[in-house]
């Protein structure tokens, strides 16, 4: 099975994962919005066996949201979001933006759209630029 690599921005943390994801969840819940500082979290879930740290696993800091199965793990050098283990320890949650190349995902879902901020709705109507306008 073909693998894909992921990195934090500074390169201290890297990992490898099988590039065959069932679902990509774009989650706009309040917790994901706060923890990413963005409109939504972009999370892929994979079996632990499909995942391997390459470097820098000891350079990661994690925060667990009390009472929720949501964590944030990040490189303590550059702050980039990196993968974390879900609450019951059965899956690795991979932030899609940490992956290096095209991700093979069977299905994409937007979830908690009810908590999506107004500024992040109707994105197809927002003017689009290849680089700075
Ligand atoms: Zn880093
Ligand atoms: Zn969420």
């Amino acid at each position: 099975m073909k693998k894909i690599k992921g990195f934090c921005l500074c390169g201290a943390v890297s990992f490898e994962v099988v590039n065959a994801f069932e679902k990509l969840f774009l989650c706009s819940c309040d917790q994901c919005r706060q923890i990413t500082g963005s409109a939504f979290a972009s999370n892929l879930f994979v079996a632990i066996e499909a995942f391997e740290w390459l470097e820098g696993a000891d350079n990661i800091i994690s925060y667990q949201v009390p009472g929720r199965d949501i964590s944030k793990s990040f490189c303590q050098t550059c702050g980039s979001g990196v993968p974390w283990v879900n609450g019951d320890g059965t899956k690795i949650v991979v932030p899609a933006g940490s992956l290096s190349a095209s991700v093979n995902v069977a299905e994409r879902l937007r979830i908690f759209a009810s908590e999506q901020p107004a500024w992040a709705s109707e994105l197809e109507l927002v003017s689009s630029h290849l680089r700075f306008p």
Side-chain angles (χ1 to χ4, degrees), residues 2-5 17-21 44 96 98-105:
K2 206 162 164 43
K3 291 188 169 183
I4 185 171
K5 286 192 168 117
V17 62
V18 172
N19 191 8
F21 300 93
L44 297 152
S98 66
L99 293 169
S100 59
S102 11
V103 175
N104 290 323
V105 59

Side-chain angles (χ1 to χ4, degrees), residues 3-128:
K3 291 188 169 183
I4 185 171
K5 286 192 168 117
F7 307 88
C8 65
L9 183 59
C10 77
V13 178
S14 60
F15 61 90
E16 195 169 63
V17 62
V18 172
N19 191 8
F21 300 93
E22 276 179 35
K23 290 177 178 167
L24 169 65
F25 292 96
L26 304 174
C27 184
S28 297
C29 81
D30 292 340
Q31 291 82 7
C32 284
R33 218 176 57 245
Q34 293 268 210
I35 216 162
T36 60
S38 190
F40 47 79
S42 309
N43 288 327
L44 297 152
F45 290 70
V46 291
I48 285 179
E49 310 77 61
F51 181 91
E52 187 182 4
W53 292 111
L54 297 176
E55 284 187 273
D58 57 349
N59 199 48
I60 294 169
I61 294 177
S62 293
Y63 171 75
Q64 166 74 50
V65 178
R68 297 287 306 270
D69 187 8
I70 300 175
S71 294
K72 168 80 173 188
S73 288
F74 57 95
C75 169
Q76 64 179 320
T77 305
C78 69
S80 303
V82 297
W84 45 279
V85 182
N86 75 337
D88 62 10
T90 56
K91 298 267 195 234
I92 300 274
V93 184
V94 180
S98 66
L99 293 169
S100 59
S102 11
V103 175
N104 290 323
V105 59
E107 187 182 2
R108 298 182 299 157
L109 301 93
R110 297 201 66 168
I111 59 171
F112 285 86
S114 59
E115 296 179 23
Q116 176 178 279
W119 54 263
S121 63
E122 299 181 329
L123 293 180
E124 68 282 4
L125 302 179
V126 177
S127 71
S128 176

